[in-house]
């Protein structure tokens, strides 16, 4: 790899990294909001922070189970719908940065839903594990959920490979969209989530571990996607992406500002 090749891929790597951070941040906001809405429609008063929701008064068992499962269910279903739309319409193909924002949003959404299943029997933490515990489900159910979660990971990776293929004319471009952004974006997400945890009111160790583990794993399908159709590309001309992506940077600043406000707790009506 010569200096010119590295330079030409730098905007792609940086743009896709920014897209991952934006997409995952949007996904987490929607995920937590779905918890809050599920509680509100049951007559509870949710208090939302960037990575969790608390309720007043203390919810009963059935209400708590519904509120807990609302987040992973919303993430999984909305992400799956987004992927189906993407495979049919391939939106924003002519605007590669915003396409990657879209792609990262829908795929991290699916991984968020699967991720809670993946840690159900391993960590005993997270929305799904808490809901299963409240329902009194057996260890066999927890293990089954975990197996389903991990089985969904290679499927997600395969679908992600198909989503970025039409954008790329070389395998190196696919790597620039998927692998390096996963590394860079994950580091940025971990830093941001650590800041939110330190500023927020939630000090429960189990919640914090689940939050940071989720940030670490939310894009794990991206490097795995390189296993599928490695030599297959779908574009006739080299991928270009403008950097800096001013609109994306502004959007990220707004999203981070919203989360900083949420660290003080947003009380829903």
């Amino acid at each position: 790899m010569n200096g010119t090749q590295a330079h030409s891929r730098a905007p792609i790597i940086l743009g896709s990294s920014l897209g991952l951070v934006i997409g995952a941040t949007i996904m987490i906001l929607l995920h937590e909001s779905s918890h809050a809405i599920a509680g509100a429609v049951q007559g509870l008063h949710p208090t939302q922070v960037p990575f969790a929701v608390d309720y007043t008064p203390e919810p009963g068992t059935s209400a708590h189970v519904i509120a807990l499962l609302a987040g992973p269910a919303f993430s999984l279903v909305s992400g799956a719908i987004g992927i189906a739309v993407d495979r049919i319409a391939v939106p924003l193909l002519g605007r590669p940065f915003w396409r990657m924002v879209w792609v990262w949003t829908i795929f991290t959404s699916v991984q968020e839903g699967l991720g809670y299943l993946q840690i159900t029997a391993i960590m005993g933490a997270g929305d799904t594990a808490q809901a299963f515990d409240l329902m009194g489900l057996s260890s066999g159910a927890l293990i089954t959920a975990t197996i389903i979660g991990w089985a969904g990971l290679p499927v997600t990776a395969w679908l992600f490979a198909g989503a970025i293929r039409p954008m790329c004319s070389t395998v190196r471009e696919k790597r620039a969209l998927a692998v390096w952004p996963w590394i860079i974006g994950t580091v940025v997400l971990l830093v941001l989530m650590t800041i939110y945890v330190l500023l927020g009111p939630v000090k429960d160790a189990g919640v914090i571990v689940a939050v940071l583990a989720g940030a670490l794993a939310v894009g794990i399908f991206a490097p795995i996607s390189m296993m599928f159709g490695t030599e297959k590309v779908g574009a006739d001309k080299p991928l270009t992406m403008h950097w800096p992506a001013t609109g994306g940077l502004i959007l990220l600043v707004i999203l981070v500002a919203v989360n900083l406000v949420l660290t003080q707790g947003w009380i829903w009506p």
Side-chain angles (χ1 to χ4, degrees):
M1 179 179 69
N2 60 42
T4 301
Q5 290 174 322
H7 177 73
S8 65
R9 288 204 302 279
I12 300 173
I13 293 170
L14 292 172
S16 187
S17 299
L18 178 59
L20 169 54
V21 178
I22 292 172
T25 302
I26 291 171
M27 176 276 293
I28 294 168
L29 278 170
L30 294 175
H31 175 96
E32 299 302 338
S33 295
S34 66
H35 282 304
I37 292 170
V41 298
Q42 296 181 91
L44 303 172
H45 297 283
T47 300
Q48 183 174 342
V49 297
F51 52 86
V53 177
D54 200 5
Y55 305 95
T56 304
E58 189 72 23
T61 299
S62 60
H64 199 184
V65 168
I66 292 170
L68 282 167
L69 293 180
F74 174 82
S75 294
L76 189 58
V77 172
S78 63
I81 292 172
I83 292 172
V85 170
D86 188 74
R87 290 181 68 84
I88 295 169
V90 195
L92 300 168
L93 193 57
R95 305 184 68 184
F97 169 73
W98 291 109
R99 171 159 177 77
M100 287 311 299
V101 171
W102 156 256
V103 168
W104 283 118
T105 301
I106 59 177
F107 278 92
T108 57
S109 189
V110 167
Q111 175 55 29
E112 182 82 348
L114 293 175
Y116 280 109
L117 293 175
Q118 291 161 4
I119 65 173
T120 298
I122 298 173
M123 295 177 61
D127 300 337
T128 306
Q130 291 181 56
F132 283 13
D133 182 61
L134 287 171
M135 289 188 289
L137 298 184
S138 67
S139 58
L142 273 65
I143 293 171
T144 300
T146 300
I147 291 172
I148 292 171
W150 285 105
L153 179 57
V155 177
T156 306
W158 173 72
L159 291 167
F160 183 80
I164 65 173
R165 186 176 300 129
M167 304 174 66
C168 301
S169 63
T170 67
V171 175
R172 285 182 174 179
E173 289 176 358
K174 292 171 66 175
R175 192 176 296 116
L177 281 178
V179 180
W180 287 109
W182 167 66
I183 297 171
I184 297 169
T186 298
V187 170
V188 175
L189 284 170
L190 280 170
V191 170
L192 289 174
M193 295 307 294
T194 300
I195 292 171
Y196 303 150
V197 166
L198 291 174
L199 294 177
V202 178
K203 304 303 179 186
D204 182 88
V207 173
I208 293 172
V209 168
V211 166
L212 296 180
L216 184 65
V218 75
I220 190 63
F221 53 83
I224 298 173
S225 72
M226 296 302 296
M227 298 170 54
F228 300 102
T230 305
E231 302 301 324
K232 293 182 179 180
V233 293
D236 297 327
K237 58 183 181 180
L239 173 64
T240 58
M241 196 177 291
H242 297 293
W243 184 262
T246 306
L249 291 169
I250 292 172
L251 177 56
L252 180 59
V253 169
I254 293 171
L255 290 169
V256 171
V258 169
N259 276 326
L260 290 174
V261 171
L262 285 175
T263 60
Q264 304 308 303
W266 173 261
I267 303 175
W268 284 64

